[in-house]
Amino acid sequence: MEFFIGTCAKIDQVGIVKQAEDTGVTHFGVGEGPLLFSDPYQYLALAARETSTINLGTWVTNPLTRIPAVTANSHATLNALAPGRTFLGIGTANNALRSMGHSPASIAQLDDALRVTTGLLAGQRVTEKWRGRERELEFLDKDGSWYNLDDPVPVWMAAGGPRGIKVAARYADYVAYCLGPDPEMIKLVRRELDKAVADAGRPPGSVKLVAVSWFYQLRNGETWEDGVDHGFASGPISSCLTNIGFMREHAAELDPSIVEASATAATAYLGDPNAAEQPHYLDTWSKYQKGLDDSHRPLITKQLCDYWCLYGSPDEIWEKAQGMLEAGVDMLSVFLSNPFTAERDIADIGTSILARG
């Protein structure tokens, strides 16, 4: 059974990648946030030396904090350390850019970055417009002395709407989408992805759908509120933020109450963009990855947790996981938003899912 774990790079916690490999996890990725986390490529290089089978990559990088040639080189170099088990995970960089006071990359910027990066990793000569000039780019080491271009680097793209799905359909091998156990939402995203793949002229099934969920295994006597307080925290709100545009576009096909609940949570989380006094972005993001902010707790309801999260007893988690696969997901994944409880969560994923798969 293939299973993906994503988390934030914490350089003194590389050992959890080996724990994940020993548990049966097949893919492990770490995110990029220059002001937030440890550097992902240094983390992945260390992880490559400590593991032998697990696939490793960014989860996710973006087109702006590193230019495409640098991103391609970093993955080609990692591919030399972990040949045949390196992947490129990329998105628009909501966290990385917003924490620096900037907007995320546009879909057009992501599209062009993927064109350049994937072309370079395929050993091609590509054109790129940068700093107002168009130039040709190509990796110059043809003998593999400096990096590895021989083993393919699959592309994983984080998507959250129809435009992202269309870009993923052209370039990606896997598209990761924030999804919980709800079968109707899964079937809707599956349908739209398959249509985009067909429109892109690619064979059916050539882009795999990966569900990104928030995980917590309940102990005896615990409820959904313990999942929030001791597990996924504000993770469900992230799913609301990612999906609300898509949900509104397809509101007629979804439960109106969850569309409204997701929209309400997302709007309340972001605050009023027209307010006279706005908190400084550095103050806002200084709370990131430091536990659940008290102001966000009232926004997280049982309805949102049930819809967006993979949580419950081991038997309930397994039943939900099976239902997600039956509804059209090709691979399950969880993002461990709290690195300080990652060892516990990886062990729980092993017993509640992977040992049964």
Side-chain angles (χ1 to χ4, degrees), residues 68-301:
V70 174
T71 297
N73 178 277
S74 295
H75 284 83
T77 301
L78 180 62
N79 203 22
L81 294 174
R85 55 191 185 100
T86 296
F87 63 86
L88 162 64
I90 192 167
T92 57
N94 181 62
N95 298 341
L97 271 296
R98 290 195 189 281
S99 62
M100 294 193 288
H102 296 284
S103 299
S106 67
I107 294 296
Q109 288 172 317
L110 179 58
D111 189 331
D112 193 60
L114 276 166
R115 177 187 63 80
V116 175
T117 305
T118 56
L120 288 171
L121 287 171
Q124 300 170 2
R125 178 172 293 193
V126 297
T127 59
E128 180 190 44
K129 188 174 183 179
W130 185 51
R131 300 178 66 189
R133 305 175 73 182
E134 188 172 281
R135 288 289 183 265
E136 293 184 334
L137 302 177
E138 183 180 17
F139 276 123
L140 301 179
D141 171 27
K142 302 301 181 184
D143 301 320
S145 300
W146 300 95
Y147 31 72
N148 176 10
L149 300 180
D150 292 331
D151 293 295
V153 176
V155 174
W156 294 60
M157 183 178 146
R163 292 185 300 153
I165 287 176
K166 289 179 181 178
V167 174
R170 291 200 297 275
Y171 296 105
D173 302 287
Y174 299 81
V175 59
Y177 212 98
C178 284
L179 291 166
D182 184 77
E184 296 310 311
M185 182 66 173
I186 293 172
K187 291 175 183 177
L188 177 57
V189 174
R190 174 88 260 176
R191 184 192 74 197
E192 294 302 301
L193 174 60
D194 289 346
K195 180 179 183 300
V197 170
D199 291 343
R202 298 178 67 184
S206 57
V207 182
K208 305 299 183 184
L209 176 61
V210 182
V212 181
S213 304
W214 308 95
F215 177 88
Y216 184 71
Q217 180 177 304
L218 298 179
R219 270 59 183 172
N220 289 337
E222 288 189 326
T223 70
W224 68 273
E225 293 177 298
D226 294 289
V228 177
D229 295 332
H230 308 305
F232 40 75
S234 58
I237 299 179
S238 296
S239 295
C240 296
L241 291 167
T242 300
N243 278 294
I244 192 55
F246 182 84
M247 295 178 80
R248 282 172 170 162
E249 184 174 327
H250 297 277
E253 301 178 74
L254 296 169
D255 179 352
S257 67
I258 192 62
V259 177
E260 179 61 28
S262 297
T264 299
T267 302
Y269 182 83
L270 291 174
D272 182 1
N274 299 315
E277 293 188 11
Q278 297 284 346
H280 195 285
Y281 55 87
L282 291 176
D283 294 331
T284 299
W285 286 92
S286 67
K287 302 174 184 178
Y288 194 72
Q289 293 296 334
K290 293 182 180 176
L292 182 63
D293 191 308
D294 290 341
S295 66
H296 298 155
R297 184 63 183 81
L299 306 179
I300 307 169
T301 64

Side-chain angles (χ1 to χ4, degrees), residues 51-63:
T51 57
S52 59
T53 60
I54 196 166
N55 294 277
L56 302 169
T58 45
W59 196 240
V60 292
T61 188
N62 64 85

